[in-house]
């Protein structure tokens, strides 16, 4: 006994199944059970009795030539890669089936001693001999799941099953006589022959080196040879092959011998009686120790009956327009009709070959579909690509009891048609989507430029066009308002065309129908005078589409192409339809542009065109109209010079948006100018302004901020009605919002208004703004004011240093440019310029205090001597300032004003001179009486003083103060070259 060998006396396995029912089932089997069915039935019961993984049955041949005494007859439960090494067992084989047959004993060997084929680990092979009249016919083997042998009861059941199988193989059964091409049908109750020869499966072996060929008795019987006919030569074997099949049979055998692989073939053989039979052969090549081909061995059987049956069906299937294949369970081709053979390119050599081993089959994915159908037991269908994707076939795989059937239908043209139809449908959907997007874009287009952009973006890609011109009809001319894909120089030359010139666009407008020019040659033939322009534009096809609205032409749309284009009927219909959409949008845009232009002109007329450059204040401003609706709005700003170098800074916002609000804004701005000229304090001016707004009606409201900056005192006084507070940016960069709680808006407020005064350091920046700058639907006003403060801080930090205080000429112009850039930076930081629903205004003012050396003041007595003292003070101060040319006139003005105060008013009396852009002379007193110029009669001795003052000064006026009033005059200061500064 070899190591790990076990007999029936060794320990029992843990698995034991009752077997009496299995034996009764086998004994109940009728005599019509064939040999192969009996083998499989007995093997199935044996595997079930031992709860095994699978089973094998090996049968012994009558001759042992070539060392092949045992061959695998059937197996269950084991894949082909495991049974491949068990097909043939040589003489003196030490496997369990070989030893059980040779020693006529039951035997179990673990997998460590089993060598022909790989088996799962921790398994074994239990084999019992199949009893026969002259010794064992072979062996029945079960692959056990475990490393222990069967129990005594299992061995006993296994031997009884083997006895039943051996009895079935040993029963003689008379065979019906066979005709040449047809096998008689078996009557019910007959049995298959019991010997290997009568079963009809023979073994063969070809020594490719010596040329010897071995055929066992069964194989000789298949060929129809008497026992003494075969001489063992391959030539004798070859002579029996049908001449038509011989070339490819030899070629297939030689190919199989050269490579380690399987061999399968079906061919006709010539029998000694003159008839022909079909033979199927299976085998495998064997190489020697030197690696060269040595043997080709296998089995063969008579397939005439199957072939005849297949031929009967094949005649019906052979000329089908679809390809048809019948496959055995292992994937070998049993039948292929003519269409399938043409598809496979096998030309009659498909029989017996594995389908997916044929060239071109594996890349198609056909194997996966066949395995899916075999595994699931249900039909599988789908498309497969063939010839590298050049053809498409619809495959239907149908499971049948003996394998699979395949139907292959060429659907290449159908799929191409479907693909073309899908592409056409996709193109139609794409066109519809383009038209939908164009319709949306045109509906959203506001200006003519928006229309041009929408058409260029949506229409040109739809037709693969490369050029676009949109023209509007203006009197007798067509004017290009937008273009894409044309040289700008060409458009400058042809941007305005007279209708009478006979251009394509003019012809299309006169005909009120589209004009299509499909090639450059056609264009030149129709319009030879414009051939040079066509060459310059490098276009080769055109569609001139008249734009008609309510029967009235409004323009022309030109779509051009870089290549000749025939323009299909569908394209012409679509372009004509698009022209109607473009015409409607263009007409709306033209009306909007006209209204927009008028609104902008009105807005420009109502707002200051330029801001004055004053000694005390340098200012810059921005007005940003709302992006929705008309560009006219109610926001305004102003810088108004006052007496004594004081400056009024104004910003306001009429509630609402539109032309009416813009008109109201203009009235308020005019009223502010008028009231500012009266030198009213901010709170009083706001009260008068509130009365004016209230008189306009209950639906009119406005916010306003009015501030007065005094450079002599370095202070600012302001009043505001519902308006956001100004931002004061000190020279150190800190930002403060000043003003306290606002009063109610104008039209809803109840005077008096609060007056707020605060110091303004020299070089500070005042930022006045409307709520549209800091407030929006996405940002509340507090957040906006914080953002404004941050924007001012960043903009000033990045801006160049401000010029010195009191600079003139170039320095002032430089400072204005600096403030302009600050306005842009602040608006950019606050995202003003994008879409916003309200208009916005921003006013930035840089303050400059008066230097002490440019001011002089004196207190005078309320007596007649005050006039003489005033003349003395004026003379000495003007001499110090170098203004000798103004001494005489200024002495006279001061004397007259002081004399009037002494005569008509009350003290205290004060005199002040200010040297700035003009020489300012002020006389103040404690009276509130306003002096007026009277027309003196010729006989009057007085009443001519103010006439004299008005004649000697450029401007004069009265300003009320908290302590009385001040009468002021201004005189131009002469320039060094003798001119007077204005």
């Amino acid at each position: 006994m070899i190591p790990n060998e076990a007999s029936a006396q060794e320990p029992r396995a843990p698995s034991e199944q009752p077997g009496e029912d299995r034996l009764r089932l086998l004994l109940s089997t009728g005599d019509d059970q064939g040999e192969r069915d009996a083998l499989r039935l007995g093997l199935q019961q044996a595997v079930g009795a031992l709860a095994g993984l699978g089973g094998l049955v090996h049968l012994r041949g009558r001759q042992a030539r070539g060392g092949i005494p045992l061959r695998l007859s059937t197996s269950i439960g084991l894949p082909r890669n495991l049974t491949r090494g068990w097909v043939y067992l040589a003489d003196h084989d030490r496997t369990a089936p070989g030893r059980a047959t040779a020693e006529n004993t039951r035997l179990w060997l673990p997998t460590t001693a089993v060598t022909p084929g790989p088996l799962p680990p921790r398994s074994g092979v239990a084999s019992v001999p199949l009893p026969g009249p002259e010794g064992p016919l072979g062996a029945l083997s079960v692959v056990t799941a475990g490393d222990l042998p069967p129990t005594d009861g299992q061995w006993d059941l296994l031997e009884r099953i083997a006895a039943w199988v051996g009895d079935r193989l040993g029963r003689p059964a008379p065979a019906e006589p066979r005709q040449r091409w047809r096998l008689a049908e078996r009557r019910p109750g007959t049995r298959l022959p019991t010997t290997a020869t009568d079963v009809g499966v023979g073994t063969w072996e070809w020594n490719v080196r010596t040329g010897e060929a071995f055929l066992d008795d069964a194989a000789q019987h298949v060929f129809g040879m008497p026992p003494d006919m075969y001489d063992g030569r391959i030539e004798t074997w070859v002579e029996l092959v049908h001449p038509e099949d011989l070339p490819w049979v030899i070629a297939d055998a030689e190919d199989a011998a050269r490579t380690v692989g399987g061999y399968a073939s079906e061919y006709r053989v010539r029998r000694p009686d003159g008839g022909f039979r079909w033979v199927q052969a299976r085998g495998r090549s064997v190489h020697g120790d030197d690696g060269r081909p040595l043997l080709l061995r296998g089995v063969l059987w008579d397939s005439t009956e199957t072939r005849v049956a297949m031929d009967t069906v094949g005649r019906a299937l052979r000329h089908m327009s679809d390809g048809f294949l019948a496959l055995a369970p292992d994937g070998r081709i049993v039948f292929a009709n003519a269409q399938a053979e043409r598809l496979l390119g096998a030309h009659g050599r498909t029989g017996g070959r594995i389908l997916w081993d044929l060239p071109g089959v594996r890349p198609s994915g056909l194997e996966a579909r066949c395995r899916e159908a075999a595994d699931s037991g249900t039909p599988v269908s789908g498309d497969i690509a063939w010839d590298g994707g050049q053809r498409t076939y619809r495959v239907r795989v149908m499971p049948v009891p003996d394998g699979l059937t395949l139907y292959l239908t060429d659907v290449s043209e159908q799929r191409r048609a479907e693909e073309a139809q899908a592409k056409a449908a996709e193109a139609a959907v794409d066109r519809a989507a383009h038209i939908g997007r164009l319709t949306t874009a045109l509906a959203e287009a506001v200006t003519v430029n928006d229309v041009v952009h929408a058409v260029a973006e949506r229409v040109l890609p739809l037709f693969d066009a490369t050029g676009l011109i949109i023209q509007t009809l203006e009197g007798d001319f067509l004017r290009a308002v937008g273009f894409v894909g044309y040289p700008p120089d060409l458009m400058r030359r042809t941007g305005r065309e007279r209708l009478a010139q006979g251009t394509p666009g003019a012809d299309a407008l006169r005909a009120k129908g589209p004009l299509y020019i499909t090639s450059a040659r056609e264009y030149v033939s129709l319009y030879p005078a414009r051939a040079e322009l066509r060459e310059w534009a490098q276009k080769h096809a055109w569609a001139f589409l008249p734009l008609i609205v309510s029967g009235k032409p409004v323009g022309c749309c030109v779509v051009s192409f870089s290549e000749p284009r025939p323009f299909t009927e569908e394209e012409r219909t679509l372009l004509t339809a698009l022209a109607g959409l473009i015409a409607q949008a263009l007409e709306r845009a033209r009306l909007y542009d006209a209204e927009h232009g008028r609104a902008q002109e009105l807005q420009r007329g109502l707002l200051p065109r330029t801001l004055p450059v004053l000694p005390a204040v340098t200012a810059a401003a921005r007005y940003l109209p709302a992006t929705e609706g008309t560009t006219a709005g109610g926001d305004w700003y102003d810088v108004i010079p006052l007496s004594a170098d004081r400056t009024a800074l104004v910003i306001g916002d009429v509630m609402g948006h539109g032309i009416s609000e813009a008109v109201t804004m203009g009235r308020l701005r005019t009223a502010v100018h008028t009231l500012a000229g009266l030198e009213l304090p901010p709170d009083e001016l706001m009260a008068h302004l509130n009365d004016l707004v209230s008189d306009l009606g209950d639906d009119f409201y406005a916010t306003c901020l009015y501030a007065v900056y005094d450079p002599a005192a370095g202070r600012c006084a302001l009043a505001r009605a519902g308006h956001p507070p100004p931002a004061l940016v000190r020279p150190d960069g800190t930002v403060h919002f000043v003003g306290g709680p606002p009063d109610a808006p104008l039209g809803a407020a109840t005077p008096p208004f609060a007056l707020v005064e605060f110091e303004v350091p020299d070089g500070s920046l005042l930022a006045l703004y409307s709520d549209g700058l800091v407030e929006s639907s996405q940002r509340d006003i507090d957040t906006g004011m914080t953002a404004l403060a941050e924007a001012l801080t960043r903009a000033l930090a990045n801006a160049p240093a401000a010029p010195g205080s009191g600079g003139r000429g170039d320095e002032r112009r430089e400072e204005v440019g600096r403030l302009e850039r600050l306005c842009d930076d602040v608006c950019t930081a606050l995202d003003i310029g994008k879409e916003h629903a309200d208009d916005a205004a921003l006013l930035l003012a840089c303050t400059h205090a008066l230097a002490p050396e440019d001011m002089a003041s004196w207190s005078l007595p309320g007596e007649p001597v005050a006039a003489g003292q005033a003349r003395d003070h004026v003379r000495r101060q003007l001499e110090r300032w170098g203004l000798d040319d103004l001494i005489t006139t200024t002495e006279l003005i001061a004397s007259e004003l002081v004399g009037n105060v002494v005569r008509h008013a009350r003290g205290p009396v004060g005199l002040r001179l200010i040297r700035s852009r003009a020489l300012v002379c002020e006389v103040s007193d404690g009276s509130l009486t306003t002096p007026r110029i009277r027309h003196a009669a010729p006989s009057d001795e007085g009443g001519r003083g103010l006439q004299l003052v008005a004649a000697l000064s450029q401007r004069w006026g009265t300003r009320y103060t908290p302590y009385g009033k001040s009468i002021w005059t201004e005189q131009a200061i002469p320039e060094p070259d003798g001119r007077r500064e204005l």
Side-chain angles (χ1 to χ4, degrees), residues 83-278:
T83 61
R84 191 174 292 125
W86 296 80
V87 174
Y88 308 109
L89 300 180
D91 193 20
H92 307 297
D93 186 86
R94 303 305 297 169
T95 61
R99 290 182 58 184
T101 304
E103 299 171 8
N104 196 18
T105 183
R106 65 190 185 190
L107 186 69
W108 180 85
L109 293 179
T111 55
T112 54
V114 178
T115 56
L119 291 176
R122 297 181 59 82
S123 63
V125 179
S127 299
V128 294
L130 297 173
E134 300 177 1
L137 300 175
L140 184 147
S141 305
V142 176
V143 180
T144 61
D147 55 0
L148 294 177
T151 64
D152 292 342
Q154 291 175 331
W155 277 121
D156 180 68
L157 179 60
L158 198 60
E159 288 178 336
R160 294 171 70 182
I161 294 174
W164 179 85
V165 173
D167 178 70
R168 286 287 177 171
L169 294 178
R171 292 185 183 182
E176 294 290 330
R178 298 178 180 177
Q179 299 179 2
R180 178 181 300 178
W181 292 105
R182 178 176 174 272
L183 295 176
E185 296 180 355
R186 293 195 303 271
R187 296 190 303 274
T190 61
R191 294 175 295 174
L192 290 176
T194 58
T195 64
T197 301
D198 291 332
V199 169
V201 178
T203 60
W204 56 271
E205 181 179 291
W206 172 36
N207 190 319
V208 298
R209 297 184 183 179
T210 65
E212 293 181 331
F214 162 72
L215 295 176
D216 68 359
D217 292 348
Q220 294 181 33
H221 181 75
V222 170
F223 283 108
M225 297 179 181
D228 57 349
M229 176 183 174
Y230 188 58
D231 57 4
R233 296 184 308 111
I234 188 63
E235 290 79 3
T236 304
W237 185 357
V238 169
E239 289 176 357
L240 299 176
V241 180
H242 194 286
E244 294 179 1
D245 301 340
L246 182 60
W248 57 264
V249 170
I250 294 177
D252 286 350
E254 291 177 347
D255 290 342
R258 283 193 298 268
T259 60
V260 180
Y263 166 74
S265 182
E266 185 176 20
Y267 51 89
R268 290 168 290 177
V269 296
R270 184 176 57 208
R271 295 169 63 95
D273 60 5
F276 288 92
R277 305 289 291 177
W278 282 95

Side-chain angles (χ1 to χ4, degrees), residues 206-209 257 286-289 292-296:
W206 172 36
N207 190 319
V208 298
R209 297 184 183 179
V286 179
H287 284 201
D289 296 337
R292 297 170 55 199
L294 177 61
L295 299 173
L296 188 64

Side-chain angles (χ1 to χ4, degrees), residues 336-361:
N337 70 354
Q339 179 63 19
E341 289 177 347
R342 284 193 294 270
L343 173 63
L344 299 175
H347 305 293
R349 298 174 55 187
T350 58
R353 304 178 70 179
I354 295 178
L355 174 61
W356 30 89
D357 288 344
L358 294 176
V361 175

Side-chain angles (χ1 to χ4, degrees), residues 696-926:
L696 295 177
D698 295 337
D699 296 333
F700 287 89
Y701 300 96
T703 65
C704 184
L705 186 153
Y706 182 84
V708 176
Y709 171 65
D710 187 351
R715 295 181 64 81
C716 185
L718 67 85
R720 58 193 181 101
H723 206 84
L728 173 64
V729 185
R730 301 181 185 275
D732 60 2
T734 59
V735 181
H736 303 277
F737 290 96
V738 296
D743 289 299
L746 299 175
T750 301
F753 288 86
L755 180 67
V756 178
E757 296 190 41
F758 56 94
E759 292 186 0
V760 181
D762 186 24
S764 296
L765 182 71
L766 279 170
L768 283 64
Y769 54 92
S770 64
D771 59 353
L773 188 76
V774 294
E775 187 178 22
S776 66
S777 59
Q778 291 81 29
R779 182 171 58 193
D780 59 49
I781 191 167
D782 293 332
T783 304
M785 290 172 62
T786 302
L788 173 62
E790 294 174 354
L792 287 169
T793 301
R794 286 195 301 269
L796 286 171
N798 297 328
S805 175
R808 298 188 179 185
D810 295 340
E811 291 182 354
R812 284 302 174 90
R813 284 191 292 271
E814 181 181 347
E815 186 174 43
V816 170
R818 172 175 169 268
L819 291 177
E820 295 284 351
R821 290 188 294 272
L822 283 176
C823 288
D824 293 335
D825 294 343
V826 170
C827 292
T828 301
L830 295 176
D831 286 338
I832 303 300
K834 298 181 179 179
E835 293 187 2
H836 54 283
D838 193 11
D839 50 348
L842 172 65
L843 175 62
L844 297 181
C846 186
T847 62
H848 306 290
L850 281 173
E853 60 270 17
D854 289 333
M855 295 183 295
S857 60
W858 303 270
S859 295
L860 301 175
E863 300 175 357
V865 296
Q869 293 179 5
R871 288 192 294 270
D872 292 340
H873 293 315
V874 168
R875 184 182 308 108
R876 287 193 295 269
Q877 187 62 43
L878 294 184
E879 287 176 351
R880 282 195 292 268
W881 285 344
L883 300 178
D884 297 342
D885 294 343
L886 298 178
I887 292 176
T888 302
T889 56
T890 307
E891 284 182 337
L892 183 56
I893 290 172
S895 177
E896 284 295 331
L897 292 178
V898 171
N900 283 340
V901 168
V902 171
R903 184 178 303 113
H904 303 291
R906 62 177 182 269
V909 182
L911 172 66
R912 185 171 70 165
L913 295 178
I914 298 176
R915 181 181 63 175
S916 182
R917 65 187 178 100
L919 178 62
V920 178
C921 178
E922 291 184 343
V923 175
S924 60
D925 60 64

Side-chain angles (χ1 to χ4, degrees), residues 323-411:
F324 177 81
L325 290 169
L327 301 184
D330 59 356
R332 298 183 185 276
I333 299 174
V334 178
F335 174 81
N337 70 354
Q339 179 63 19
E341 289 177 347
R342 284 193 294 270
L343 173 63
L344 299 175
H347 305 293
R349 298 174 55 187
T350 58
R353 304 178 70 179
I354 295 178
L355 174 61
W356 30 89
D357 288 344
L358 294 176
V361 175
R362 192 172 298 276
S364 68
L366 187 57
E367 178 182 3
R369 297 189 184 273
C370 291
R371 295 193 183 279
E372 180 184 353
D375 293 341
S376 65
T378 58
V380 173
S381 61
D383 287 359
I384 60 173
W386 206 266
D387 290 342
Q390 297 297 319
R391 309 291 296 178
T392 302
Y393 285 84
R394 181 71 176 177
V395 60
R396 289 168 292 167
V397 185
M398 305 287 293
V400 295
D402 296 327
L404 300 171
T405 59
L406 285 77
Y407 299 86
L408 297 164
T409 305
D410 189 345
V411 294

